[in-house]
Amino acid sequence: MNASSSIAGELAVSDPDHVNSLERGLSVLKAFSLREEALSVADLARFVGITRTAARRFALTLEYLGYVSQSAEGYALSPGVLEIGDAYLRSNPLPDAAHPHLDDLVHAVGETASLTVLHERRVYYIARVAADRIVTANIIVGSSVPAYRTATGRILLGDLAQDELEDYLSSIEPASGIDQDYVREKIVEARERGWTVADQELMSGIRSVAVPLRDPEERIVAALNIAAHATRVDTAVLEHDFVPLLQSAAQRTAAALWPSSGTTPARKVMAAKAARQLARPSDVIQSLERGLCILTAFDEGQPALNVAQISKRCQLPRSAARRFVLTLVALGYLAPQGRSFALTPRVLELGYTLLPRLSLADVAKRRLEALARKLGASVSIGVIEGTDLRYIARASAPSPLTVNIRPGSRVPAHRTAMGQVLLSQLPPEALRNGGRSAGRGNTGDGLADFGNSLEVVREQGWSYVDQLLEVGIRAVAVPLRNRRGEVVAALSASVHEPSTSDLDMTSTFLPALQAAAAEFVMDLRDGLVA
C-alpha cells in the first residue's frame, strides 16, 4: 500500500465526512483498469477485499453507467469509461496547447515526444505523439511512472520547495537501486542547466531528454521530453540537437497558453455526454454514481468548480456534494484551487489504460447502430489509404438488399461520398500526384479531374454522390473531426436509389450525419487506430 492510500485509509476511519463506499467503488474500477482480462464477481471481491455481494453491486453500477460491460467471461472495461479521463484532459488546457508542438518535434527528429505533469510522487503523461517506430517505450496517455527515474520527473521535482524535495527524496525505497544523493544531484543539475537527460534509468534501452514548461510567474507546470532508443540516439545528440528543439516547443506552447495579449484562445466546449442506455437497476450504489458524476462534471468551460457548482451540475444537496468532494480530495482525484476544485491526473488511472486496446470501430459501434436504425440506411466510417477509401466500421438497417461492403473493403476514394470528403482535405499537389501515380485503370484514374468538385466539397463541408460507385446507390458523407479540429475519418449514409429522393438525402440524412459527427468529436481520441 502506498503513502496516499494509507492516508486515505486513515481519513476513512477518522473523518465522518469520508464516503467509504465511494472509495471502495473507485477501487473496483481501478481493479478493472489494472487488468486486460475480464473479471468475475469473485475476482473483484478478492482483488478489492470486499464481499461478493458488494462486488456484484459495484459491477452492476459501473455497467449501468456505461463503464464496464458483461460477457460470459465476466466484466470488462467498455469504451464509456474513457469519459472519466477525458474530463481531465478537456478541463486542462496543457494537452491541447502542447500537442501541435509535440507533433512538430516528432516530424523533426523521428522520435516520440511527450508532455508530463507531477502529481504527488509520480509523473503522469498527459499528451504524447508517438513516432512511427517498431520499437518504442510502452507508455501511453494516462501512464504514470516514479518521478525520480525520469528526465521529466527531475525537471518537475526541481520546482519543489527544499523541504518538500527532501521529504520526497527520503521516500525513495533503497530496494529501487536509486541513490537519493544521485537523484538530488540530477535535480540540482536540471535546475541549473534548464534541461536534463535520463539514460536508460526508467527502462533499459530508452534515453530521454526533458525541458520545463513555465507559466508567466516562472513556475514549472509541466515538462516536455523526447525519448529514443539508445541504439539510435546517443546522449550528445540529445544535448546538442534535441534540447534546442524542445526549448522552442516549450516556448511556443507557453505562448499559446499565455499569449502576450493576455487573452487565452477559446477552447471548443464538447457536447454533453450521452444519456444512459440501460434501465437503472434497483441496487445501484448511489455513492459511486454520485462520485463519478462529480469526476465527469469538469470540462473546457468549467475546469474548476466550487461545491455549489458541483451540487448544481450533479443535482446533489450541497452537504452531500461537500462530503463527496472532500473524499475525492483525500483520495487524490481532486485538488483545491482556492475555493474551487480541479481534477488531478490521477483520474487517468480510472480506465484510460483501455485506450490503446480500442479501435475507432470499437468506439463507433454503438453510435453507428443507433444512426442506422434512425435513418433506415447503411452508415459507415472510412479512412483514406493512398487513393483508396478503406471502410473501418459499418452498420445497416434491415433491408431486402445487401450491400457487399464490409470493414476492410477498399474502393476508389473519388467514387464515394466519404472518399471525396477526405480527398477534399488534401493539398491540390497531393491530388495531382495521386492521380498520376495510380495510372490508367487503377484506383487513381481520373482522380486529378475531380479538383474543382473537391473544392466545392471542402467549402460546403459534405459530399453527395448519386450512383457513382455502383448503379442504384446514393450516399451523403461528412468529415469526422477530433477535439482539435483535425479530420481523421468520414461518416456516410447510403441507400438504394428508389427508396430515398435526392432532397431527402440532403434535407434529412445530411443534418442527422452532421449531428452525429458533432457527437463523435468526444469519441475521436489520440491513440485510436483505424
Side-chain angles (χ1 to χ4, degrees), residues 3-4 29 53 123 125 192 304 368 410 490:
S4 62
L29 182 53
T53 300
V123 161
Y125 289 77
E192 294 173 350
L368 282 187
R410 298 168 68 103

Side-chain angles (χ1 to χ4, degrees), residues 458-527:
R458 180 165 49 248
E459 290 180 358
Q460 67 187 16
W462 54 274
S463 177
Y464 169 61
V465 299
D466 187 1
Q467 307 182 73
L468 187 58
L469 178 65
E470 181 81 16
V471 173
I473 299 296
R474 288 175 170 156
V476 62
V478 298
L480 291 180
R481 300 178 184 271
N482 63 20
R483 59 195 181 89
R484 276 183 292 275
E486 302 160 339
V487 175
V488 297
L491 172 69
S492 76
S494 60
V495 295
H496 190 247
E497 172 262 332
S499 65
T500 307
S501 68
D502 288 340
L503 181 60
D504 282 341
M505 294 298 290
T506 54
S507 65
T508 303
F509 281 37
L510 177 59
L513 288 173
Q514 290 169 328
E519 294 175 352
F520 265 112
V521 171
M522 291 284 287
D523 299 331
L524 298 177
R525 304 166 177 91
D526 296 331

Side-chain angles (χ1 to χ4, degrees), residues 18-40:
H18 193 84
V19 185
N20 295 316
S21 56
L22 171 57
E23 181 178 3
R24 290 195 296 271
L26 293 176
S27 296
V28 169
L29 182 53
K30 196 167 180 181
F32 283 116
S33 305
L34 294 174
R35 291 166 177 81
E36 293 190 13
E37 71 275 11
L39 300 178
S40 67

Side-chain angles (χ1 to χ4, degrees), residues 351-371:
Y352 222 74
T353 52
L354 179 65
L355 183 60
R357 309 203 298 269
L358 292 176
S359 69
L360 179 52
D362 294 327
V363 172
K365 184 175 185 293
R366 180 178 60 82
R367 291 195 193 277
L368 282 187
E369 290 174 347
L371 188 59

Side-chain angles (χ1 to χ4, degrees), residues 322-369:
R322 175 181 169 277
R323 290 186 64 215
F324 284 107
V325 166
L326 291 177
T327 301
L328 292 168
V329 169
L331 296 174
Y333 296 111
L334 290 180
Q337 284 191 359
R339 295 188 176 183
S340 296
F341 300 87
L343 294 172
T344 74
R346 177 166 286 178
V347 299
L348 295 170
E349 296 177 354
L350 300 175
Y352 222 74
T353 52
L354 179 65
L355 183 60
R357 309 203 298 269
L358 292 176
S359 69
L360 179 52
D362 294 327
V363 172
K365 184 175 185 293
R366 180 178 60 82
R367 291 195 193 277
L368 282 187
E369 290 174 347

Side-chain angles (χ1 to χ4, degrees), residues 294 305-322 325:
I294 291 173
L305 296 168
N306 60 34
V307 171
Q309 292 168 321
I310 289 171
S311 171
K312 182 177 180 180
R313 284 202 166 195
C314 291
Q315 298 181 336
L316 296 173
R318 193 171 296 194
S319 59
R322 175 181 169 277
V325 166

